[in-house]
Amino acid sequence: MESKQSQTVPWKQVQKGILKKQVTAMTEEGNIQASTRIKLLLVDDEEGFVNVIANRMSKRGIDATKALSGTDALKALRGQDFDVAVVDLKMQEMDGIELLRILKKMVPEMPVIMLTGHGSERAEEEGMEYGAFDYLTKPCELDELMQKIREALPRGR
Amino acid sequence: MEDSRYKKLQRVYIVLILLVSFTPLFLLGGIMYYQVAKTYRIKIEEQIRYRAISQTDSIDLFLKERTAILAAIADTVNFDQILDEKNLLKIFEIINLRAGAFVDLGVIDQAGQHRAYVGPYELRGLNYFQQPWFSEVMTKGVYISDVFTGFRASPHFIIAIRRQEDKNCWILRTTIDPDIFGGIVRSAQIGKTGDAFIVNKEGTYQTTPRFYGNILGKTDIDPSKFGGLTTVNEEINSQGEKRLTAGRWLKNKTWLLIISQDVSEEMGGLLQTRNQEIAIILVGSILIILTTVITTRLTVAKLEEADTRMNELNAKLLQSDKLAALGKMAAGVAHEINNPLAVILQKTGWMEDLLEDEALKNSKEIVEYRASLKKIEEHVERARKVVHNMLGYARKMEPRLEDVDINETLRQTISMLENYARLNSIEVKTILSPDIPIIASDQSQLQQVFLNIISNAIDATGRDGLIEVKSAVGETTIDVMIADNGPGIQEEQQKRIFDPFFTTKQTGKGTGLGLWITYNIVEKLGGSISFNSEVGRGTTFTVKIPNAPPTEK
């Protein structure tokens, strides 16, 4: 385990460096303008997590609207459209799968990326079955999430 | 501890079987021996009695003949003729020739004077008036004496007849040869121990016995014990031998014929029978003991083996329950830890983002900050890996879809529990629908489900029960019904049976996780589990498994 770690860390550092440069480049070139900033719906009942992700996203040209529950998320959807949604699978009130099914009915064109806390293959498969774009296991690097978001967006965005 | 329990059981079995086998064997042997001995005893008593009767008859006849001859002579000759010793000798010779056993012949007048005599002794001129027998014959007319020594100083007995001739009367007297008479009596002596002799009312030997005694000696036998008919007694003589003694009075009522036989000689045949019987019982006993010990050992060994196997199976069940529970817990812990880890990771990321700020970039401590954040990230990664490995176990509990034949799974499960059911005298009956399709499900998890429910049913039923396992095709499900005729579930317990750690079994016998795991597995497989229970009548569990077609390959 020790040896694996020491291999993983440098590799991640390298990868992160590249990604950061790309993002910076995008901003400088004005590819992502204020009007064209990506609108993200972020749903997770872990407030600390939602806040920090939103802050970091904002620095990377993504406007994240925070929702602490499925109900919050549905409320937010009434006012505006989103380019992409990130939904935690396990939440107290309405669980991620349920929200995913509703989202897929309301806005089928919006890609949804699932976040899972306990890595249950079954739940992940279920999410995919209901039309999730992909899933990520918590805890994950922000860059991984950014990568998934970029993959999820239609080409040209 | 366990070992001694089986040893004890074995001992109890052996003792019981031996008791049950030996009691009738010995009882039968004893009764048979007693019956045979009784019959045998009656038989030899009859034999000795018969011998006594026939021997008495022939002695009576002998004496009657001698008396009759004497009487005939006395009645046909007169006193003068008989006094002529030539005539007397002639008569003596004729009667000895015709009948025999006469030693001498004499004539005594009414004064007791011996007037004429033929015989080997010199008795002429002797006077018998003082002799006790003289007055006897004078009054009774016919007289047979006891054995006495008399004038000739040798044991003998006489027969005397009185003849009344007008006013004169005289006596014809003869001595019977004691050897010939004794010979007739002795002819009833049989075998090595048989004896035959005559005693008088006083218990004096009238003939010489074969053992321990002499003529005119005293016997141990008490003649008063012998009644009118033939009496058979068992006597123990002075030598301590048990003798069977038959006694019969002669017609004269003064002499008693005794025929005796050593009991052990007569019972010799019975002794042989008894020894044969003992030998048969002994051989039989050895065979019974051997068979009992061997079969009991085999049975107990089989029982022990079955118990061991059952314990192993129980231990496995318990273990798999525990493992499944652990998996559940791992999944829960993973979720609870991963969430804070995610926040920590994002917070460090945010701090790194902030450190990119121009003002902070030039800080002296910037390198130190970054290194610290890296360290935090490294440790988050480390914790994440620990959780990930733990989840690896939880993942094992995830169902894997494969082709499952529900009927076959049920059969396999029941065969695993067959011994356990048999030990508890519980019949497991299967009514499996032949129309059950192959479905996509998880065979080993379904087996765990059926195993839990059926073994619970066996435990609940206790003894002598019936468990029915049915399979049927439902609307969108395959339904498995497991019904027992056990005591049922109390109403207040019904709500709780799927709760973790709820158990009605003794501490250590169940974890209380079996049905909880079962419930979770069925839920995960997309099915449902329900039950119907009536106190005193039994419980039926119904498991519905989605009828999902197998994946195409």
Side-chain angles (χ1 to χ4, degrees):
Chain A
M1 230 164 125
E2 280 301 322
S3 64
K4 264 190 183 172
Q5 244 184 358
S6 56
Q7 282 174 350
T8 317
V9 175
W11 181 79
K12 281 224 161 143
Q13 281 172 331
V14 173
Q15 201 187 31
K16 204 191 270 175
I18 296 164
L19 279 169
K20 260 180 202 157
K21 269 177 208 154
Q22 283 174 346
V23 172
T24 320
M26 277 197 285
T27 322
E28 277 164 7
E29 284 160 25
N31 276 353
I32 301 177
Q33 299 295 323
S35 57
T36 57
R37 280 171 76 91
I38 297 165
K39 279 189 274 180
L40 169 76
L41 178 60
L42 183 59
V43 194
D44 194 326
D45 59 353
E46 190 80 44
E47 201 178 348
F49 183 74
V50 178
N51 286 340
V52 70
I53 290 279
N55 285 342
R56 296 189 74 190
M57 291 280 187
S58 157
K59 270 193 170 279
R60 287 162 176 77
I62 296 173
D63 285 334
T65 301
K66 300 175 270 184
L68 292 176
S69 69
T71 328
D72 277 0
L74 296 178
K75 267 184 207 159
L77 264 172
R78 256 179 253 154
Q80 54 184 310
D81 293 334
F82 294 95
D83 298 316
V84 62
V86 172
V87 176
D88 187 29
L89 202 63
K90 199 166 178 187
M91 287 184 294
Q92 290 291 329
E93 198 183 306
M94 180 192 295
D95 93 357
I97 294 288
E98 215 179 321
L99 179 60
L100 170 67
R101 290 170 66 180
I102 297 168
L103 290 179
K104 278 290 136 187
K105 270 185 194 153
M106 282 174 66
V107 273
E109 70 285 353
M110 180 179 69
V112 178
I113 295 163
M114 309 295 300
L115 284 179
T116 64
H118 67 93
S120 153
E121 268 176 9
R122 175 87 193 157
E124 287 153 10
E125 277 168 25
E126 209 178 344
M128 297 305 284
E129 262 172 52
Y130 286 117
F133 175 76
D134 206 345
Y135 62 86
L136 272 175
T137 307
K138 276 201 218 170
C140 62
E141 297 286 348
L142 186 71
D143 297 329
E144 286 177 70
L145 185 57
M146 290 292 292
Q147 184 64 36
K148 284 274 183 277
I149 290 170
R150 221 167 283 126
E151 283 170 17
L153 289 174
R155 285 185 187 277
R157 287 282 328 236
Chain B
M1 199 66 201
E2 278 294 286
D3 217 44
S4 74
R5 194 168 72 93
Y6 289 108
K7 282 270 182 298
K8 206 171 146 193
L9 188 71
Q10 190 172 313
R11 270 201 299 278
V12 170
Y13 273 2
I14 290 175
V15 168
L16 271 178
I17 296 173
L18 290 186
L19 213 66
V20 169
S21 319
F22 280 145
T23 309
L25 185 71
F26 287 144
L27 215 62
L28 198 71
I31 289 170
M32 266 170 65
Y33 177 73
Y34 173 75
Q35 287 296 345
V36 170
K38 202 169 131 186
T39 317
Y40 212 86
R41 178 63 179 247
I42 290 169
K43 196 186 90 186
I44 58 170
E45 274 187 27
E46 277 315 305
Q47 276 177 357
I48 200 164
R49 186 193 307 275
Y50 173 77
R51 263 169 37 218
I53 293 169
S54 62
Q55 198 63 16
T56 316
D57 287 348
S58 55
I59 292 166
D60 273 334
L61 186 68
F62 175 89
L63 292 174
K64 194 179 167 189
E65 263 175 22
R66 284 358 176 234
T67 312
I69 289 167
L70 224 57
I73 298 163
D75 286 345
T76 45
V77 287
N78 56 41
F79 191 51
D80 296 330
Q81 286 170 320
I82 202 91
L83 281 182
D84 183 347
E85 286 200 345
K86 272 184 215 152
N87 288 335
L88 197 63
L89 180 64
K90 202 171 176 188
I91 292 166
F92 177 66
E93 278 169 355
I94 290 166
I95 58 174
N96 254 340
L97 188 73
R98 298 288 180 194
F102 297 99
V103 177
D104 58 7
L105 194 63
V107 182
I108 294 146
D109 64 19
Q110 54 189 348
Q113 203 65 34
H114 208 158
R115 299 285 294 273
Y117 177 78
V118 184
Y121 302 103
E122 199 47 60
L123 299 174
R124 261 181 228 96
L126 286 173
N127 192 302
Y128 289 95
F129 196 78
Q130 295 297 323
Q131 293 286 325
W133 65 264
F134 181 76
S135 54
E136 286 270 342
V137 74
M138 286 306 275
T139 48
K140 288 183 181 163
V142 178
Y143 178 69
I144 299 171
S145 75
D146 277 0
V147 174
F148 64 107
T149 21
F151 290 116
R152 67 190 78 168
S154 117
H156 65 285
F157 74 94
I158 57 152
I159 301 173
I161 300 286
R162 186 195 61 177
R163 167 77 196 275
Q164 191 69 39
E165 207 176 330
D166 302 326
K167 295 248 167 103
N168 180 33
C169 79
W170 49 275
I171 293 162
L172 187 62
R173 188 210 70 137
T174 185
T175 306
I176 299 297
D177 188 332
D179 293 336
I180 292 176
F181 184 70
I184 293 167
V185 174
R186 276 198 300 276
S187 69
Q189 293 173 354
I190 280 178
K192 286 180 191 149
T193 60
D195 204 348
F197 51 85
I198 289 173
V199 295
N200 67 4
K201 280 182 177 166
E202 285 75 42
T204 308
Y205 285 119
Q206 300 299 301
T207 63
T208 306
R210 190 170 175 187
F211 307 106
Y212 325 117
N214 237 314
I215 191 161
L216 291 178
K218 272 292 204 184
T219 70
D220 310 331
I221 294 163
D222 177 8
S224 64
K225 281 202 288 187
F226 296 87
L229 295 167
T230 316
T231 309
V232 179
N233 287 330
E234 192 175 283
E235 307 262 340
I236 294 172
N237 68 7
S238 51
Q239 268 64 39
E241 296 164 347
K242 253 195 201 169
R243 295 187 73 90
L244 201 59
T245 306
R248 185 174 169 90
W249 291 98
L250 297 185
K251 286 235 174 70
N252 63 17
K253 301 286 180 208
T254 56
W255 284 359
L256 178 67
L257 174 75
I258 296 287
I259 289 185
S260 75
Q261 195 85 38
D262 193 325
V263 173
S264 61
E265 190 190 356
E266 282 296 302
M267 299 293 263
L270 180 70
L271 214 69
Q272 204 184 345
T273 311
R274 193 186 68 185
N275 289 343
Q276 277 171 359
E277 196 186 343
I278 287 172
I280 289 168
I281 288 177
L282 208 70
V283 171
S285 301
I286 290 168
L287 283 178
I288 289 172
I289 290 171
L290 278 178
T291 317
T292 306
V293 169
I294 291 169
T295 50
T296 307
R297 279 204 180 153
L298 282 176
T299 312
V300 172
K302 279 228 174 91
L303 195 73
E304 197 176 346
E305 198 191 314
D307 275 4
T308 312
R309 243 188 283 146
M310 203 52 242
N311 286 340
E312 277 168 10
L313 182 66
N314 269 338
K316 264 189 215 158
L317 274 177
L318 220 71
Q319 190 59 18
S320 70
D321 280 2
K322 279 186 195 158
L323 291 181
L326 204 68
K328 272 265 157 197
M329 218 174 79
V333 167
H335 178 255
E336 289 311 314
I337 289 178
N338 276 342
N339 270 333
L341 282 184
V343 177
I344 294 168
L345 195 65
Q346 291 313 320
K347 287 285 182 193
T348 50
W350 176 233
M351 282 159 90
E352 277 173 341
D353 286 354
L354 293 180
L355 283 182
E356 295 301 317
D357 197 275
E358 283 305 318
L360 290 169
K361 246 183 185 170
N362 298 328
S363 159
K364 277 194 287 179
E365 311 291 355
I366 187 76
V367 180
E368 200 53 37
Y369 277 132
R370 282 187 176 145
S372 292
L373 289 171
K374 271 285 155 292
K375 271 277 169 270
I376 295 174
E377 278 171 10
E378 268 175 44
H379 284 277
V380 167
E381 175 63 16
R382 190 172 144 194
R384 195 184 68 84
K385 284 211 163 159
V386 170
V387 172
H388 182 80
N389 284 340
M390 230 165 78
L391 276 174
Y393 182 74
R395 284 224 169 99
K396 274 190 206 153
M397 296 309 296
E398 294 296 316
R400 271 166 217 290
L401 294 185
E402 58 193 333
D403 294 359
V404 179
D405 180 340
I406 297 275
N407 282 350
E408 189 50 38
T409 310
L410 282 171
R411 275 189 215 106
Q412 279 176 14
T413 312
I414 290 164
S415 81
M416 280 169 77
L417 289 167
E418 217 166 62
N419 261 328
Y420 188 39
R422 195 157 359 109
L423 278 178
N424 291 294
S425 314
I426 289 169
E427 193 196 342
V428 182
K429 210 168 126 189
T430 50
I431 306 167
L432 304 180
S433 161
D435 306 324
I436 307 287
I438 303 286
I439 58 162
S441 200
D442 186 318
Q443 157 130 18
S444 61
Q445 298 223 6
L446 279 178
Q447 195 162 56
Q448 172 100 42
V449 166
F450 300 145
L451 202 65
N452 280 344
I453 300 176
I454 299 171
S455 68
N456 267 354
I458 294 172
D459 290 339
T461 308
R463 292 201 69 81
D464 303 319
L466 175 70
I467 293 173
E468 259 186 16
V469 179
K470 279 190 220 172
S471 67
V473 183
E475 255 178 71
T476 58
T477 52
I478 307 295
D479 302 345
V480 175
M481 274 74 68
I482 295 161
D484 66 61
N485 61 355
I489 304 165
Q490 301 288 333
E491 208 167 321
E492 61 271 23
Q493 292 178 348
Q494 291 195 3
K495 278 178 276 176
R496 300 181 56 200
I497 67 162
F498 291 121
D499 289 357
F501 307 111
F502 175 75
T503 181
T504 56
K505 293 178 188 173
Q506 280 176 294
T507 317
K509 296 267 174 189
T511 53
L513 293 176
L515 277 179
W516 178 64
I517 300 279
T518 304
Y519 182 83
N520 280 303
I521 292 173
V522 175
E523 287 278 297
K524 260 189 198 166
L525 291 174
S528 67
I529 179 168
S530 60
F531 68 94
N532 201 332
S533 185
E534 213 175 313
V535 174
R537 303 198 71 168
T539 306
T540 304
F541 273 89
T542 306
V543 179
K544 289 178 183 281
I545 305 141
N547 188 352
T551 44
E552 288 188 19
K553 282 168 196 161

